[in-house]
Amino acid sequence: MDYQTADLAEYADSIILTRESRYEDWDALGFQTKAGEQFARAQIRYVGSGATGDHSNDTRTIKSQGFTFSNMLLPAGAEGPEHTHFDSEEAFFVLEGEIEVAVHRGTEIAKRKLGYRDMIVVPAGVPRSLKNVSDKPALFAVIIGTGKPQVPSYPETSVMHGITRD
């Protein structure tokens, strides 16, 4: 919709995304449960597809023009496996619960706990992982600094190494 020519009220409605219009997509990263049920988590998309694949048919999202924005719902004990985004930085902002984030370099790992309104920004090329270390679900915002991120790679040290999306 073109800002200059569209009805302004319709244009305003086209750039607003409500919580009520979102849904939890448990299939977006469902392939990762091949490595274990602890990798089950839901993506809740707002802007773009994130790096989870092609969700261009998801009409509830706004097309990305330079970044992606989603929420991730991580059940108690659930994990996000080690992986690397080589083309963009990635940020996590905790909305609910507590997560443990880890930065990896080969076999060396640095872990930190993040809670409500805490944030980590991971530069492109830096492997990271995360885990919900509480007994309650965690919800956090995920921002990836490019319009259509490459699918991340999983290094040999990741439990996802060699697991396919099919």
Side-chain angles (χ1 to χ4, degrees):
M1 186 174 292
D2 182 55
Y3 165 73
Q4 296 296 333
T5 59
D7 174 81
L8 190 55
E10 288 179 20
Y11 179 80
D13 288 342
S14 77
I15 58 174
I16 294 173
L17 298 161
T18 62
R19 179 177 50 90
E20 290 78 19
S21 66
R22 305 300 91 207
Y23 78 103
E24 297 171 4
D25 184 350
W26 291 90
D27 295 328
L29 294 162
F31 76 95
Q32 292 183 350
T33 60
K34 293 177 189 177
E37 286 302 313
Q38 73 270 28
F39 298 107
R41 58 201 190 282
Q43 181 188 54
I44 305 159
R45 291 182 290 282
Y46 287 82
V47 179
S49 292
T52 63
D54 182 8
H55 300 287
S56 56
N57 293 333
D58 186 350
T59 59
R60 290 174 286 248
T61 63
I62 291 177
K63 185 177 186 235
S64 174
Q65 295 185 29
F67 69 95
T68 70
F69 182 94
S70 61
N71 286 172
M72 190 67 65
L73 178 59
L74 210 61
E79 299 178 38
E82 177 189 357
H83 70 277
T84 309
H85 290 280
F86 286 101
D87 64 330
S88 60
E89 65 187 345
E90 183 176 36
F92 301 121
F93 183 83
V94 180
L95 301 167
E96 297 174 9
E98 185 174 65
I99 61 173
E100 179 182 79
V101 295
V103 177
H104 301 250
R105 183 172 48 215
T107 58
E108 186 181 3
I109 302 171
K111 297 179 181 180
R112 302 290 185 271
K113 286 187 182 173
L114 301 179
Y116 176 62
R117 292 177 30 180
D118 290 339
M119 182 176 200
I120 183 172
V121 179
V122 183
V126 175
R128 62 91 184 148
S129 61
L130 55 88
K131 182 177 183 175
N132 181 345
V133 293
S134 74
D135 59 356
K136 296 180 180 160
L139 181 70
F140 53 96
V142 180
I143 303 100
I144 302 178
T146 187
K148 179 59 184 129
Q150 298 170 354
V151 173
S153 72
Y154 301 98
E156 290 182 8
T157 52
S158 173
V159 297
M160 290 300 141
H161 184 74
I163 292 186
T164 61
R165 291 179 176 265
D166 53 5

